[in-house]
Amino acid sequence: MNKDNRLDYGIFITFMIFLFISRLIEFDLGMAMGENFYIFARDMVLILPPAFVIIGLFEIWVDRETIESHFGSASGIKRYIYAILLAATTVGGTFVAFPVANSLYHKGADYSSIFTYITAASLVMIPMSIMEASIIGIEFTVLRIGLSLPLVVISSIILNKIFAKLDYVLPSDV
Amino acid sequence: MQYLYIIMLILLVISFLFDREKTKKSIIRGKNKLIKILPGYLKLLVILSIILLFSEDLIVQYLGTENILIGSGVGLVIGSITMMPGFIAYPLAGILLSRGVSYMVVASFIIPLKMVGIVTYPLEKEYMGSKATIYRNIASLIVAAILTILIGLYYGEVII
């Protein structure tokens, strides 16, 4: 275990002790943090294990050619459609999108596909959008998604141009 | 969320029928990847629990200002820094709207909430490297600002 990991575990354990003591002495601020913690932790505990099993299956089974032909630079405009479709169905939003994007990249997806994918994963998640439409209004949701997707694709194309020149590689072995 | 488990099970069964060894390798690969990044997620949980405590109050307090441009600016800043699950963010947006806060201001915090992730930076950096993380978030912030203005224009709340 490296030093950074030890620090992260240390922070987490200290925080858990703080939450526990807050509950014992009924410290309001600490108890409110505990409720927030529960909200996020519950999602992560439920989503991360199946998500990472699927990522594992993806990395072992899917060959490079398949990803290159759909998400690589040779795929043209279609790669943005694939990226957005994948994003819309990614459960867990960006938490899950980051590792998936990394795996896609190492299988031959280009920068514009993965930037589109990550950003779109936070914008067009289907369950979230349904909730938004029911509270704020369907007009707002349609407007937000309709306007944002072209902008996200354009910004990803610009980022792709920048990164293609940089000789930049994403971290591997994560 | 259940459908994630259903998909996983279907994929595992198909994988198992084709190749036992590969299925085992896949599960181990997934497990190792998760264990490797786990401290990153745990630290993020701590940060999110603390940040969420302040962001709700800040949003209710500052987004209701008379000045729509200041409201939107504050919305973009808070929305970029924090992260909120949808079932907290959208009811909050509903409360703001019922108090007469404009759609533009609501958009200003709802849009960057997930798109721009300052608190998720440590996690995103692990997978994307710091440069790609910073560039993507800056680009997303610009897109969020443009969207906020477009929504304001659409609802006739700002006029150029």
Side-chain angles (χ1 to χ4, degrees):
Chain A
M1 196 185 288
N2 66 38
K3 222 168 149 195
D4 276 358
N5 280 357
R6 271 211 298 271
L7 179 68
D8 288 349
Y9 279 120
I11 290 171
F12 180 73
I13 291 165
T14 310
F15 187 69
M16 293 314 293
I17 294 169
F18 166 75
L19 290 184
F20 182 69
I21 294 172
S22 298
R23 190 145 277 274
L24 284 184
I25 63 167
E26 303 198 344
F27 174 52
D28 286 342
L29 202 69
M31 290 203 297
M33 281 182 202
E35 279 165 30
N36 293 341
F37 174 81
Y38 176 71
I39 289 170
F40 287 111
R42 188 188 47 191
D43 269 10
M44 278 193 188
V45 166
L46 287 173
I47 289 173
L48 292 183
F52 273 87
V53 169
I54 294 171
I55 291 171
L57 285 165
F58 168 82
E59 289 199 351
I60 300 286
W61 277 104
V62 180
D63 53 5
R64 211 184 152 81
E65 288 75 41
T66 314
I67 297 305
E68 266 174 4
S69 65
H70 290 81
F71 293 94
S73 47
S75 168
I77 197 92
K78 268 188 303 184
R79 65 187 190 271
Y80 305 115
I81 296 167
Y82 290 127
I84 290 165
L85 287 178
L86 187 63
T89 47
T90 298
V91 180
T94 47
F95 289 148
V96 176
F98 298 143
V100 172
N102 185 281
S103 298
L104 281 172
Y105 170 84
H106 289 295
K107 290 269 185 196
D110 83 335
Y111 287 112
S112 60
S113 308
I114 57 170
F115 283 128
T116 300
Y117 168 68
I118 293 181
T119 310
S122 59
L123 282 171
V124 292
M125 282 161 70
I126 292 169
M128 283 296 149
S129 301
I130 292 171
M131 190 169 177
E132 180 192 64
S134 65
I135 295 176
I136 306 182
I138 186 121
E139 192 184 7
F140 181 87
T141 302
V142 170
L143 201 62
R144 182 183 64 80
I145 293 176
L147 292 172
S148 64
L149 291 180
L151 288 173
V152 168
V153 172
I154 293 166
S155 74
S156 300
I157 293 171
I158 296 169
L159 287 174
N160 190 42
K161 289 226 157 77
I162 296 172
F163 279 92
K165 279 186 208 139
L166 280 179
D167 198 24
Y168 183 84
V169 281
L170 298 194
S172 55
D173 198 27
V174 279
Chain B
M1 193 174 298
Q2 292 96 324
Y3 95 89
L4 192 61
Y5 283 87
I6 297 168
I7 291 172
M8 180 190 72
L9 285 176
I10 293 171
L11 290 175
L12 281 175
V13 169
I14 296 171
S15 171
F16 190 78
L17 291 177
F18 278 97
D19 192 328
R20 262 182 207 212
E21 272 311 300
K22 268 183 152 181
T23 310
K24 221 170 110 187
K25 257 170 74 184
S26 301
I27 295 171
I28 291 170
R29 169 88 64 112
K31 188 199 79 185
N32 289 343
K33 282 175 93 78
L34 180 56
I35 286 173
K36 212 169 207 170
I37 198 66
L38 195 61
Y41 279 101
L42 293 179
K43 188 172 67 180
L44 187 61
L45 274 178
V46 175
I47 299 170
L48 287 172
S49 311
I50 298 169
I51 284 265
L52 188 60
L53 201 63
F54 304 103
S55 43
E56 266 180 272
D57 292 341
L58 281 175
I59 285 165
V60 173
Q61 251 183 334
Y62 289 100
L63 261 54
T65 64
E66 294 286 307
N67 189 319
I68 195 167
L69 291 178
I70 293 175
S72 303
V74 175
L76 281 172
V77 172
I78 299 176
S80 299
I81 294 171
T82 188
M83 183 163 192
M84 249 182 225
F87 67 87
I88 293 180
Y90 294 122
L92 200 61
I95 292 169
L96 289 174
L97 285 172
S98 70
R99 286 190 189 170
V101 171
S102 61
Y103 280 96
M104 179 168 164
V105 172
V106 168
S108 77
F109 99 91
I110 283 280
I111 292 170
L113 205 52
K114 289 208 168 113
M115 215 173 141
V116 187
I118 293 179
V119 287
T120 50
Y121 172 79
L123 186 69
E124 187 170 354
K125 188 193 67 178
E126 293 291 319
Y127 288 109
M128 304 292 289
S130 34
K131 198 161 207 160
T133 304
I134 292 167
Y135 278 56
R136 189 195 71 80
N137 279 289
I138 291 172
S140 294
L141 181 59
I142 295 168
V143 169
I146 296 171
L147 281 170
T148 301
I149 294 166
L150 289 176
I151 284 177
L153 286 171
Y154 177 84
Y155 285 99
E157 293 164 346
V158 282
I159 295 155
I160 291 180

